[in-house]
Amino acid sequence: RRTLFVLRRPVERFASTASFILSMYSHPRHAGKLFHNATPLSIFRWTARQFEGCASSACRVARINGAYRDAHRVVFWPQSFFLGGDATVVCHDDDSADSRVANRDRVNTALGA
């Protein structure tokens, strides 16, 4: 039995990460938390600061874990951190998934991309 690994472009991965964080942390129960009332741009800048100077997935994971203690921090981990063992890489054409494309475009527009 092999593990299937879907590889996405970083911009697509960031769009889904930002969408998840924005939908989860916009709720009033998260007031005072790091990403409460965040924007895609603020999430992008925070992530870029965490990854600055890192050349490996292990470094990026350690930085995220040190800066963000919430259980949902795994959404920020690089895809390559999950790849290993008997994994089979599958390329995914995100453009064929209409709802994901609309979400990605909304996040990219908010980032000015």
Side-chain angles (χ1 to χ4, degrees), residues 72-111:
H72 295 101
R73 67 185 176 268
V74 298
V75 301
F76 290 103
W77 291 359
Q79 292 181 93
S80 57
F81 188 76
F82 299 99
L83 184 59
D86 66 348
T88 299
V89 176
V90 175
C91 294
H92 174 60
D93 179 12
D94 203 41
D95 292 334
S96 65
D98 293 338
S99 64
R100 296 176 90 191
V101 168
N103 183 49
R104 181 194 64 207
D105 291 345
R106 183 174 49 84
V107 171
N108 285 341
T109 299
L111 286 172

Side-chain angles (χ1 to χ4, degrees), residues 31-47:
K33 290 188 177 180
L34 177 62
F35 294 112
H36 182 65
N37 292 329
T39 65
L41 185 57
S42 68
I43 294 169
F44 174 79
R45 287 179 175 157
W46 181 87
T47 305

Side-chain angles (χ1 to χ4, degrees), residues 42-74:
S42 68
I43 294 169
F44 174 79
R45 287 179 175 157
W46 181 87
T47 305
R49 282 193 307 273
Q50 304 317 307
F51 289 175
E52 189 173 298
C54 281
S56 70
S57 293
C59 174
R60 291 177 177 190
V61 168
R63 293 265 184 90
I64 292 296
N65 289 348
Y68 183 48
R69 303 306 304 163
D70 196 292
H72 295 101
R73 67 185 176 268
V74 298

